[in-house]
Amino acid sequence: MSLVGTGTIGLDTVETPFGKAEDVLGGSMVYFSISASLFTMVRLVGVVGEDFPDQHRAVFAKREIDLAGLETRAGSKTFRWAGKYEGDMNEAETVSIDLNVIAEQAPKVPDAYHDSEYVFLAATHPALQQSMVKEFPSAQLVVCDTRDFWIDAEKAELAKTLSLVGGVVLNDGEARMFTGETNLITAGRRILGFGPQFVIIKKGEHGAMLCTREAVVTLPSFPTDKVKDPTGAGDSFAGGMMGYLASIGKFEIGQLRRAMAYGTITASFTIEDFSLRGIEAVNRTMVDERLAQYTDMLTIG
Amino acid sequence: MSLVGTGTIGLDTVETPFGKAEDVLGGSMVYFSISASLFTMVRLVGVVGEDFPDQHRAVFAKREIDLAGLETRAGSKTFRWAGKYEGDMNEAETVSIDLNVIAEQAPKVPDAYHDSEYVFLAATHPALQQSMVKEFPSAQLVVCDTRDFWIDAEKAELAKTLSLVGGVVLNDGEARMFTGETNLITAGRRILGFGPQFVIIKKGEHGAMLCTREAVVTLPSFPTDKVKDPTGAGDSFAGGMMGYLASIGKFEIGQLRRAMAYGTITASFTIEDFSLRGIEAVNRTMVDERLAQYTDMLTIG
């Protein structure tokens, strides 16, 4: 099935206890598309400014990523984010954010993308997510992400977005913030009440939880002692998950569980090095080898 | 294999967002022995004061628990703990603690217990744990727990205890505090350096992690939206784990993983109601049914 993703592409400056990376390629759609491309061709929708360095385009070129939807806007500047991780590195502290081109008009979706069947909408203004849903009338599954900022500023619009999607991924703090519930299962079920068929709550180093109307599945993260930079973990998770789902074209509970497992694995590669270095070097064989280790680890016997 | 456990037996007063329980039966050895008795006969070592209510003894009598090692000390008062849980209930705040009889001489181990093969030492002064190890010269596996208080006050003694045991269970905060490491795998490996063959780090609602010299296994908690009182979760985990290990008499990686899973299940029953009400009503069939659900949940397929 065809897969399209829309989100940010930008330049990140990240500091963690293990080092610093300046002006590196970043943004939700970068981590998403690189991870999803391990499973299927990805159509990318995003916008950068005219300052976007050419060498960053080469990263996409190595993968099955369709860049017809990557708009380079003359006279605009690329989105920039600077963040810092401390202690257990479970949460980034935003040092600075320059929306630049992201704050302008949304990127144009190429005509050839309108028949996309699997759609991922990374975190952005929920009204923009709603207008993006309309761009894909053939969608079988639309999944959105969100973040604390939008829950705080645009809760009603976010509720409307949730009524238009089949699935949502968000982190534990966001799920609690949006619902006011402490217990994550209760929070997940509250979110289902807004319309989606499934909710996946990402818990950082503690793994992820899937809630449907019939089932709850919690899976741990893949254990690694080489966590260098958690940036992009959530988007890599979504990429692995959506890439796998699109590649098989079904999203019943069994496929969702396996998709979560694949997302867990792609995220585990991302966090093992700065910026894209962790996931960039990975191929599908490496993903499947790590999935086999993960599956073994979870086999109670 | 014969199993013996030593730890506190006391009276708890607990407040959570879901209610309050006053002067209820509590203490590590109560949760441990009730949970372990679902798998095998348990020899209990502990001491209470002459104020210990008779009706509390009845709780043990319903189970396969040998009370020859439960000393009732004339002229002494029973251990009391009062605690409070707020928010996500992952950590108890101690409101008051009266060591009473616990601060006096250690309980006497009955002669008939000296041949015990599986030994669990709940958290207490590490020097006392060391003297307890000597009471069981036939032990094939000794596992100890500890807590923040002993890490802070008796770190060198705790290191000595670790050199005498085959396994240790402790929570994530304690593992970080003891080692100064943030990454839990690194922390687990540092603890292995003190001598034990395995370390299990309990992560509350986030499950548990096993570290051996060859493997790392993380398992999630059993998902429940009925968390009423987390008191005793860690000791129920240890009880299910040690009860299962003693019942099969082996502790290679496969058995340790299954033991962790059983511990996860017994803990999940404990937290669903106040005090012992959650685990008290459970039988082995219920444990195995829940284990089957848990195993299904973790089958990636």
Short mmCIF file of all heavy atoms in Angstrom, two decimals, chain A residues 12 44 65 68 73 121 135 138 152 156 162 170 177-178 190 205 207 231 234 240 298:
data_model
loop_
_atom_site.label_atom_id
_atom_site.label_comp_id
_atom_site.label_asym_id
_atom_site.label_seq_id
_atom_site.Cartn_x
_atom_site.Cartn_y
_atom_site.Cartn_z
N ASP A 12 18.85 20.72 13.22
CA ASP A 12 18.85 20.56 14.68
C ASP A 12 20.24 20.83 15.27
O ASP A 12 21.25 20.50 14.66
CB ASP A 12 18.50 19.11 15.06
CG ASP A 12 17.02 18.79 14.91
OD1 ASP A 12 16.23 19.70 14.58
OD2 ASP A 12 16.66 17.62 15.13
N LEU A 44 7.02 11.75 0.69
CA LEU A 44 7.31 12.74 1.73
C LEU A 44 6.66 14.08 1.38
O LEU A 44 6.78 14.55 0.25
CB LEU A 44 8.83 12.86 1.84
CG LEU A 44 9.42 13.77 2.90
CD1 LEU A 44 10.78 13.22 3.31
CD2 LEU A 44 9.59 15.18 2.36
N ILE A 65 12.64 6.95 -0.97
CA ILE A 65 11.84 8.10 -0.52
C ILE A 65 11.55 8.99 -1.71
O ILE A 65 12.47 9.44 -2.41
CB ILE A 65 12.58 8.89 0.59
CG1 ILE A 65 12.82 7.97 1.80
CG2 ILE A 65 11.79 10.12 1.01
CD1 ILE A 65 13.69 8.56 2.89
N ALA A 68 9.01 14.23 -4.42
CA ALA A 68 8.16 15.14 -5.20
C ALA A 68 7.41 16.12 -4.29
O ALA A 68 7.07 17.24 -4.71
CB ALA A 68 7.16 14.33 -6.04
N ARG A 73 11.17 26.49 -0.61
CA ARG A 73 10.50 27.77 -0.79
C ARG A 73 11.50 28.92 -0.87
O ARG A 73 12.25 29.18 0.09
CB ARG A 73 9.49 28.01 0.34
CG ARG A 73 8.48 29.10 0.02
CD ARG A 73 7.35 29.09 1.03
NE ARG A 73 6.51 27.90 0.91
CZ ARG A 73 5.64 27.51 1.84
NH1 ARG A 73 5.51 28.20 2.97
NH2 ARG A 73 4.91 26.44 1.64
N LEU A 121 0.59 11.80 9.87
CA LEU A 121 0.66 13.25 10.09
C LEU A 121 1.47 13.50 11.36
O LEU A 121 0.97 13.28 12.49
CB LEU A 121 -0.75 13.82 10.27
CG LEU A 121 -1.79 13.43 9.21
CD1 LEU A 121 -3.18 13.88 9.64
CD2 LEU A 121 -1.41 14.03 7.85
N GLU A 135 -6.63 15.89 1.99
CA GLU A 135 -5.80 15.71 0.80
C GLU A 135 -5.70 14.24 0.37
O GLU A 135 -5.23 13.94 -0.71
CB GLU A 135 -4.37 16.23 1.08
CG GLU A 135 -4.29 17.70 1.43
CD GLU A 135 -4.24 18.60 0.19
OE1 GLU A 135 -4.21 18.07 -0.95
OE2 GLU A 135 -4.23 19.82 0.39
N SER A 138 -8.39 8.65 -0.41
CA SER A 138 -8.34 7.19 -0.55
C SER A 138 -7.73 6.51 0.67
O SER A 138 -7.50 5.29 0.67
CB SER A 138 -7.49 6.80 -1.77
OG SER A 138 -7.92 7.49 -2.91
N ASP A 152 -1.90 21.97 24.82
CA ASP A 152 -2.07 23.15 25.65
C ASP A 152 -2.81 24.26 24.90
O ASP A 152 -3.74 24.87 25.43
CB ASP A 152 -0.67 23.63 26.09
CG ASP A 152 -0.74 24.65 27.20
OD1 ASP A 152 -1.51 24.41 28.14
OD2 ASP A 152 -0.04 25.68 27.12
N ALA A 156 -9.26 21.86 21.58
CA ALA A 156 -10.53 21.60 20.87
C ALA A 156 -10.25 21.19 19.43
O ALA A 156 -10.89 20.26 18.89
CB ALA A 156 -11.41 22.85 20.91
N LEU A 162 -8.66 14.20 16.13
CA LEU A 162 -8.78 12.81 16.60
C LEU A 162 -10.03 12.14 16.03
O LEU A 162 -10.05 10.92 15.82
CB LEU A 162 -8.80 12.76 18.13
CG LEU A 162 -7.50 13.15 18.84
CD1 LEU A 162 -7.65 13.07 20.35
CD2 LEU A 162 -6.33 12.29 18.38
N LEU A 170 1.23 9.17 20.65
CA LEU A 170 1.65 10.32 21.45
C LEU A 170 2.42 9.78 22.66
O LEU A 170 2.41 8.58 22.91
CB LEU A 170 0.47 11.20 21.86
CG LEU A 170 -0.49 10.75 22.95
CD1 LEU A 170 -1.54 11.85 23.19
CD2 LEU A 170 -1.21 9.46 22.64
N MET A 177 -1.64 14.63 29.93
CA MET A 177 -1.98 16.05 29.84
C MET A 177 -3.31 16.24 29.11
O MET A 177 -4.17 17.03 29.53
CB MET A 177 -0.86 16.74 29.07
CG MET A 177 -0.94 18.24 28.99
SD MET A 177 0.50 18.83 28.00
CE MET A 177 0.04 20.56 27.88
N PHE A 178 -3.49 15.49 28.04
CA PHE A 178 -4.71 15.65 27.23
C PHE A 178 -5.95 15.16 27.96
O PHE A 178 -7.02 15.76 27.85
CB PHE A 178 -4.55 14.89 25.90
CG PHE A 178 -5.72 15.04 24.97
CD1 PHE A 178 -6.00 16.27 24.38
CD2 PHE A 178 -6.54 13.97 24.68
CE1 PHE A 178 -7.10 16.42 23.52
CE2 PHE A 178 -7.64 14.10 23.82
CZ PHE A 178 -7.92 15.34 23.25
N ARG A 190 -9.75 6.96 27.15
CA ARG A 190 -10.39 8.28 27.01
C ARG A 190 -10.12 8.83 25.61
O ARG A 190 -11.01 9.43 24.98
CB ARG A 190 -9.85 9.25 28.06
CG ARG A 190 -10.36 9.02 29.47
CD ARG A 190 -11.77 9.58 29.68
NE ARG A 190 -11.84 10.99 29.34
CZ ARG A 190 -11.50 11.99 30.15
NH1 ARG A 190 -11.12 11.72 31.38
NH2 ARG A 190 -11.58 13.25 29.75
N GLU A 205 12.14 5.21 27.27
CA GLU A 205 12.93 4.01 27.60
C GLU A 205 12.05 2.88 28.14
O GLU A 205 12.50 1.74 28.25
CB GLU A 205 14.03 4.34 28.61
CG GLU A 205 13.50 4.76 29.97
CD GLU A 205 14.56 4.70 31.08
OE1 GLU A 205 15.29 3.71 31.17
OE2 GLU A 205 14.64 5.65 31.86
N GLY A 207 9.25 1.78 26.74
CA GLY A 207 8.50 1.07 25.72
C GLY A 207 7.23 1.79 25.29
O GLY A 207 7.17 3.03 25.32
N THR A 231 16.86 12.11 20.24
CA THR A 231 16.13 12.91 19.25
C THR A 231 15.64 12.01 18.11
O THR A 231 16.41 11.24 17.55
CB THR A 231 17.04 14.01 18.65
OG1 THR A 231 17.62 14.74 19.73
CG2 THR A 231 16.25 14.94 17.75
N GLY A 234 10.74 9.00 18.74
CA GLY A 234 9.29 8.87 18.54
C GLY A 234 8.92 8.83 17.06
O GLY A 234 8.04 8.06 16.66
N GLY A 240 8.82 3.17 11.60
CA GLY A 240 8.89 1.71 11.55
C GLY A 240 7.51 1.09 11.58
O GLY A 240 7.19 0.16 10.83
N LEU A 298 11.17 -11.76 24.58
CA LEU A 298 9.81 -11.70 25.10
C LEU A 298 9.10 -13.05 25.09
O LEU A 298 7.91 -13.13 25.40
CB LEU A 298 8.99 -10.69 24.29
CG LEU A 298 9.48 -9.24 24.38
CD1 LEU A 298 8.63 -8.35 23.48
CD2 LEU A 298 9.39 -8.75 25.82
#
